[in-house]
Amino acid sequence: MMVARAEDIHNAERNDFHPQPDLNATLILQALDFVGVAVFAVSGALAAGRRSLDLLGVVVIAIVTAVGGGTIRDLLLDRSAFWITDPRYLVVIIAAALATVVYARAFRVPEQALQLADAAGLALFSISGAQIAESVGTGGLIAVVMGTITGVFGGVLRDVLCAEIPMILRRGNIYATAAIAGTSTYVTLQGLGIGRAGAAATGMAVIAALRIAAILWNLTLPVFSLKGPNDRS
Amino acid sequence: MMVARAEDIHNAERNDFHPQPDLNATLILQALDFVGVAVFAVSGALAAGRRSLDLLGVVVIAIVTAVGGGTIRDLLLDRSAFWITDPRYLVVIIAAALATVVYARAFRVPEQALQLADAAGLALFSISGAQIAESVGTGGLIAVVMGTITGVFGGVLRDVLCAEIPMILRRGNIYATAAIAGTSTYVTLQGLGIGRAGAAATGMAVIAALRIAAILWNLTLPVFSLKGPNDRS
Amino acid sequence: MMVARAEDIHNAERNDFHPQPDLNATLILQALDFVGVAVFAVSGALAAGRRSLDLLGVVVIAIVTAVGGGTIRDLLLDRSAFWITDPRYLVVIIAAALATVVYARAFRVPEQALQLADAAGLALFSISGAQIAESVGTGGLIAVVMGTITGVFGGVLRDVLCAEIPMILRRGNIYATAAIAGTSTYVTLQGLGIGRAGAAATGMAVIAALRIAAILWNLTLPVFSLKGPNDRS
């Protein structure tokens, strides 16, 4: 086999690179992961509510939304899925989903709540995903890809399961774009010698700001459209 | 890396926990798996027939339906996909799919045949999935999740590929709910000291009974609906 | 655990079977992989252009199309995803996607360009996927399945993400069928003692010829249709 296994890369990294992991960064990483799954669970439960699913269907969609991106990342990096090794994530997700149902029965959920929760989850997950890729020794390009997968694919799976067009594909709405911009910022700042925490905070701010600006002012990127004006549907 | 690998969990379990696997249970588990893949292959072939696919497309959908859930379970538990290590599963699936095509050309397939085959497959796969999760040493919550994934996601992949709204998401139809209820029953009964075979049979009966009752009497769970009466589509 | 791990199979094969890999075959395999990802990236970028995505969304769809099938194959065979261990694939994909955007802004893309690019990618990926399965020691049936997955699932993921009915499911259009026929030809010819390169070239020719014939003359396979003439939609 001509390829090195991610596991080998990881082992090499464990021995030669960071003999002692940065405890602070590890704790921040884990705390962000818990906040991120809770936020994405709320986003999933709200999407399920808009499809009028039954109560356990809501929990299923909340779980898929919250763990989908990170699970794909973990499978690709040959790690165990984070929620299998630490089932507390599932408890947090189920609690967040049920709390959303209870809240939404009593109060009106504002129109943009789903989009804002999604923007926050996107920022948290993209950067923590890039950090996890770094922690197994990948280079910058793969860290950007893994961060984007972590941030984007939980929502993609939610939208595919709810039979909606994935939010990332809605015309020029700066979604995957925000994740790529923020994780690239994070990787670039570290390359310039900025500390990890500062680079992470800046990257998250870039993602959240781009998404919120895109929502508030309908910012769009130039689109690539193959059809002529006559057959535009 | 702060997580233990499922493989490590499995090795620890192999050494300390069950020095001799229960041969009877292993045989039952394997027999159920073969019946389950055949039943889900029939369900997949019928769904493909409703979309008027060509004959090899029918085989592809039958395979995806039959192995999809178990494959996701195996990837998550860091096991080899069951049908790669034992290609007899594929032979069973292809035979079941072709037999379905031949049968359906000669006889009328009753309206509810797809739903009943699906209910049987759901019961078989959910419990065998939970048992496989247990066999690599996971706790009860993860066993319930893995059982539900095993039972539900073959059908989800089938529906996504056939561009239908997944059956699990049709309004309040007690599908994922049945899988969760049955696997929870199975795990709980074992926790109460009931033997494995009895717990498995009871769990499967719960799943099949809930699904069939839901189909016959249109039972539904309360749904979580965010839209008001004016904008319900 | 009653199953052997793909990794074990691979290690056994590495020790006993081919003490020295065929360097020529390895180089051809790798070159085909690069051509294949570029072709599928073009196909993905064109599909994204038809959905009017923004520029980075085009890159995301191009990447998913180009690496999707091979990534599922690698996860199933317990290999690291090929693009993680060799990020040059991503560079090729991004370059091909951007070149497609630039080209399509200046020139008209012919109606059938998407389908022809897809046929070429299908032929290249199906055979190289079967070869990779062989290289980790699987039997012929699994090699056919892995080749078909490699060739077909990038496009399936592209279509699912673009909320289109997957091309493989369009009525009787000989898509998965072509991949299965070509990889079966490849495996069978090797079983008859034909050399690897000749078998691979023949298998690719079978796939490309079947797809192009199906496109040009609207060849179809007999379809399996469950509905009667009255309720055909």
Side-chain angles (χ1 to χ4, degrees):
Chain A
M1 197 154 53
M2 80 198 87
V3 298
R5 293 172 47 85
E7 187 61 16
D8 300 337
I9 298 168
H10 168 242
N11 287 337
E13 186 268 341
R14 186 158 50 189
N15 297 332
D16 313 329
F17 201 53
H18 282 314
Q20 186 89 345
D22 180 338
L23 189 64
N24 246 357
T26 300
L27 284 178
I28 290 171
L29 190 64
Q30 183 151 44
L32 287 183
D33 254 20
F34 274 108
V35 174
V37 295
V39 163
F40 265 21
V42 171
S43 148
L46 290 174
R50 299 194 314 174
R51 300 286 307 180
S52 299
L53 300 192
D54 63 47
L55 292 178
L56 286 175
V58 170
V59 171
V60 169
I61 295 294
I63 291 175
V64 167
T65 308
V67 309
T71 302
I72 294 176
R73 172 203 65 212
D74 287 341
L75 288 177
L76 289 171
L77 294 177
D78 206 12
R79 304 169 79 229
S80 253
F82 64 98
W83 50 274
I84 292 180
T85 42
D86 188 350
R88 287 178 302 170
Y89 284 108
L90 293 179
V91 177
V92 168
I93 291 165
I94 293 169
L98 295 179
T100 304
V101 171
V102 170
Y103 178 89
R105 281 183 184 278
F107 307 96
R108 197 171 168 286
V109 178
E111 183 82 14
Q112 294 179 317
L114 176 59
Q115 287 183 304
L116 289 178
D118 206 85
L122 181 67
L124 291 165
F125 268 30
S126 299
I127 299 301
S128 83
Q131 291 186 325
I132 286 173
E134 281 177 341
S135 77
V136 300
T138 69
L141 178 58
I142 298 293
V144 168
V145 171
M146 288 295 159
T148 304
I149 286 174
T150 308
V152 163
F153 271 82
V156 168
L157 292 178
R158 175 200 64 210
D159 292 342
V160 167
L161 286 180
C162 286
E164 295 182 358
I165 298 177
M167 188 186 282
I168 62 161
L169 297 184
R170 286 169 205 155
R171 184 182 178 116
N173 74 348
I174 308 190
Y175 195 88
T177 305
I180 294 169
T183 50
S184 299
T185 301
Y186 166 73
V187 167
T188 305
L189 287 180
Q190 283 196 298
L192 296 174
I194 310 289
R196 202 171 192 227
T202 310
M204 280 189 268
V206 166
I207 295 170
L210 276 174
R211 271 303 292 153
I212 290 170
I215 293 167
L216 290 181
W217 299 305
N218 280 312
L219 293 191
T220 56
L221 274 192
V223 299
F224 168 48
S225 181
L226 278 179
K227 292 181 176 180
N230 293 335
D231 57 348
R232 194 181 298 272
S233 60
Chain B
M1 196 155 51
M2 82 197 86
V3 297
R5 292 172 46 87
E7 187 61 14
D8 300 336
I9 297 169
H10 169 241
N11 288 337
E13 187 267 343
R14 187 158 50 190
N15 297 333
D16 313 329
F17 200 52
H18 283 312
Q20 185 90 346
D22 181 338
L23 189 64
N24 246 358
T26 300
L27 283 177
I28 290 171
L29 190 65
Q30 185 152 42
L32 287 184
D33 256 18
F34 275 108
V35 174
V37 294
V39 163
F40 265 20
V42 170
S43 148
L46 291 174
R50 300 194 315 175
R51 300 285 306 181
S52 299
L53 300 193
D54 63 46
L55 293 178
L56 285 175
V58 170
V59 171
V60 170
I61 295 294
I63 292 175
V64 167
T65 307
V67 308
T71 301
I72 295 176
R73 173 203 63 212
D74 288 341
L75 288 177
L76 290 172
L77 294 177
D78 207 12
R79 304 168 81 229
S80 253
F82 63 98
W83 50 273
I84 292 179
T85 43
D86 188 350
R88 287 178 303 169
Y89 284 109
L90 293 179
V91 176
V92 169
I93 292 164
I94 293 168
L98 295 180
T100 304
V101 171
V102 169
Y103 178 90
R105 280 183 184 280
F107 306 97
R108 198 171 167 286
V109 177
E111 183 81 14
Q112 294 180 317
L114 177 59
Q115 287 183 304
L116 289 178
D118 205 84
L122 181 68
L124 291 165
F125 268 29
S126 299
I127 298 301
S128 82
Q131 291 186 326
I132 287 171
E134 283 177 339
S135 77
V136 299
T138 69
L141 179 58
I142 298 294
V144 168
V145 171
M146 287 298 158
T148 303
I149 287 174
T150 309
V152 164
F153 271 82
V156 168
L157 292 177
R158 175 200 64 210
D159 292 340
V160 167
L161 286 180
C162 285
E164 295 182 358
I165 299 179
M167 187 187 284
I168 62 160
L169 296 185
R170 286 170 205 155
R171 184 182 178 118
N173 74 349
I174 308 189
Y175 194 88
T177 305
I180 294 169
T183 49
S184 300
T185 301
Y186 167 72
V187 167
T188 305
L189 286 180
Q190 282 196 299
L192 296 175
I194 309 289
R196 203 172 190 225
T202 309
M204 280 190 266
V206 165
I207 295 170
L210 276 174
R211 272 303 293 151
I212 290 170
I215 293 167
L216 291 181
W217 298 305
N218 280 312
L219 294 189
T220 56
L221 272 192
V223 299
F224 169 46
S225 181
L226 278 179
K227 292 183 176 177
N230 294 335
D231 57 347
R232 195 181 298 272
S233 60
Chain C
M1 196 155 49
M2 81 198 84
V3 297
R5 292 172 48 84
E7 188 60 16
D8 300 336
I9 297 170
H10 169 242
N11 287 338
E13 186 269 341
R14 187 158 50 190
N15 297 333
D16 314 328
F17 200 52
H18 282 313
Q20 186 88 346
D22 180 338
L23 188 64
N24 246 357
T26 301
L27 283 177
I28 290 171
L29 190 65
Q30 184 152 43
L32 287 183
D33 255 19
F34 274 108
V35 174
V37 295
V39 164
F40 265 21
V42 170
S43 148
L46 291 174
R50 300 195 313 175
R51 301 284 307 180
S52 298
L53 300 193
D54 62 47
L55 293 177
L56 285 175
V58 170
V59 171
V60 169
I61 296 293
I63 292 175
V64 167
T65 307
V67 308
T71 301
I72 295 176
R73 173 204 64 212
D74 288 341
L75 289 177
L76 289 172
L77 294 177
D78 207 12
R79 304 168 81 230
S80 254
F82 63 97
W83 51 273
I84 293 180
T85 42
D86 187 349
R88 287 177 303 169
Y89 284 108
L90 293 178
V91 177
V92 169
I93 291 164
I94 293 168
L98 295 179
T100 304
V101 171
V102 170
Y103 177 90
R105 281 183 184 280
F107 306 97
R108 198 172 169 285
V109 178
E111 183 81 16
Q112 295 181 315
L114 176 58
Q115 288 183 303
L116 289 178
D118 205 85
L122 181 68
L124 291 165
F125 268 30
S126 299
I127 298 301
S128 82
Q131 290 186 326
I132 287 172
E134 282 177 340
S135 78
V136 300
T138 68
L141 178 58
I142 298 294
V144 169
V145 171
M146 288 296 159
T148 304
I149 287 174
T150 309
V152 164
F153 270 82
V156 169
L157 292 178
R158 175 200 65 209
D159 292 340
V160 167
L161 286 180
C162 285
E164 295 183 357
I165 298 179
M167 187 187 284
I168 62 159
L169 296 185
R170 286 171 206 155
R171 185 182 177 118
N173 74 348
I174 309 190
Y175 195 88
T177 305
I180 294 170
T183 51
S184 299
T185 301
Y186 167 72
V187 167
T188 305
L189 286 180
Q190 283 197 297
L192 296 174
I194 309 289
R196 201 171 192 227
T202 309
M204 280 190 268
V206 166
I207 295 170
L210 276 174
R211 271 302 293 152
I212 290 171
I215 294 167
L216 290 182
W217 297 306
N218 279 312
L219 293 190
T220 56
L221 272 192
V223 299
F224 168 47
S225 180
L226 278 179
K227 290 183 176 178
N230 293 335
D231 57 347
R232 195 181 298 270
S233 60

